[in-house]
Amino acid sequence: MEKNDINLCDACKALLGKKRHTPPHKYLIQTNFLEVKSQFCNVDEYFYTCRTCSKTWLLEKGTYGQGWVYN
Ligand SMILES: [Zn+2]
């Protein structure tokens, strides 16, 4: 990953590396929601787009959720 090449706004920069308990910042708009269920893992995926820098984010919640991942 080349994080340095991406033009993130300050609010999005603050989300880098954050875990699933961190709420979305105020410029994020939720665009989609996906519930992934399997026998061993249960992940809720929330998709967001930033109004400021147009960055798209995936927030993985649930037992094995990774937290904030940018696309
Ligand atoms: Zn942003």
Side-chain angles (χ1 to χ4, degrees):
M1 288 208 212
E2 299 174 72
K3 291 183 179 180
N4 294 334
D5 292 345
I6 295 166
N7 278 325
L8 292 174
C9 67
D10 288 343
C12 283
K13 275 180 193 162
L15 274 185
L16 288 171
K18 288 293 190 295
K19 299 305 178 192
R20 59 181 185 260
H21 51 78
T22 303
H25 67 66
K26 62 181 176 179
Y27 303 112
L28 286 181
I29 300 161
Q30 189 180 330
T31 55
N32 209 346
F33 169 71
L34 207 66
E35 201 174 5
V36 182
K37 284 192 177 182
S38 73
Q39 192 178 351
F40 302 105
C41 97
N42 192 353
V43 179
D44 290 338
E45 300 191 332
Y46 298 81
F47 295 84
Y48 293 93
T49 301
C50 179
R51 275 192 298 168
T52 309
C53 66
S54 302
K55 189 67 209 156
T56 55
W57 286 91
L58 163 65
L59 172 59
E60 277 193 3
K61 288 185 167 183
T63 323
Y64 292 96
Q66 308 257 321
W68 288 94
V69 180
Y70 62 82
N71 293 320

